[in-house]
Amino acid sequence: MILIIDKSSSMEGKKIELARMAAIGVIENLRPVDSVGVLIFDNSFQWAVPIRKAEDKAVIKRMVAGITPDGGTQIAPALSESYRRIMPQKAIYKHIVLLTDGISEEGDSMSVSKEAALQKITISTVGLGQDVNRAFLERVALNAKGKAYFLTDPPDWNSCC
């Protein structure tokens, strides 16, 4: 599993808190034999946690808890990087979770999501906050045979991912 977390300026405040807490919730539910990676992005992307076994959840959760918002938003390059890195992984299930408000500069996210589906990689999207680009996030998830979730408040987390 790869978690892609939007850390752009539009994620300040409640949205980044929702992203951190949702990601930590997903990490807590992984088994030690599962693999996880955390990719953070704004105008560019970087691996906060390169793909590895989910054995040391405390370290992974600490990395996620330290994410702070800044910069613009480009989803497509982060989605492409995640797809490129998850492809060669040996796993029965390959899943990417995109946590964002979906407010992004144009990119080719639709092609990546369609290609992922052809390679049996699912992508789910988690729209965070009130002002999300619902249509975009639903299309990405639909193309990649994933699900689209929308979280505005912490009680919604039980229905996520």
Side-chain angles (χ1 to χ4, degrees), residues 1-4 35-39 45-52 77-91 94-96 112 116 121:
M1 171 175 292
I2 293 178
L3 299 170
I4 306 174
S35 292
V36 64
V38 179
L39 184 73
F45 58 80
Q46 74 180 59
W47 288 95
V49 179
I51 298 172
R52 65 181 184 199
L79 204 53
S80 294
E81 169 70 0
S82 294
Y83 170 70
R84 189 177 70 75
R85 290 287 183 95
I86 205 168
M87 269 292 296
Q89 298 295 315
K90 303 255 186 274
K94 297 179 185 181
H95 189 57
I96 296 170
V112 173
I121 298 168

Side-chain angles (χ1 to χ4, degrees), residues 66-81:
I67 297 169
T68 55
D70 186 36
T73 315
Q74 290 190 12
I75 292 173
L79 204 53
S80 294
E81 169 70 0

Side-chain angles (χ1 to χ4, degrees), residues 120-137:
K120 305 226 180 322
I121 298 168
T122 54
I123 300 172
S124 289
T125 58
V126 182
L128 303 164
Q130 302 285 347
D131 58 338
V132 298
N133 186 342
R134 257 186 120 85
F136 169 78
L137 295 174

Side-chain angles (χ1 to χ4, degrees), residues 5-6 8 50-51 60 67 75 102 107 109 130 139 153:
I5 302 174
D6 182 346
S8 64
I51 298 172
I60 299 168
I67 297 169
I75 292 173
S109 299
Q130 302 285 347
R139 265 195 335 269
D153 294 304

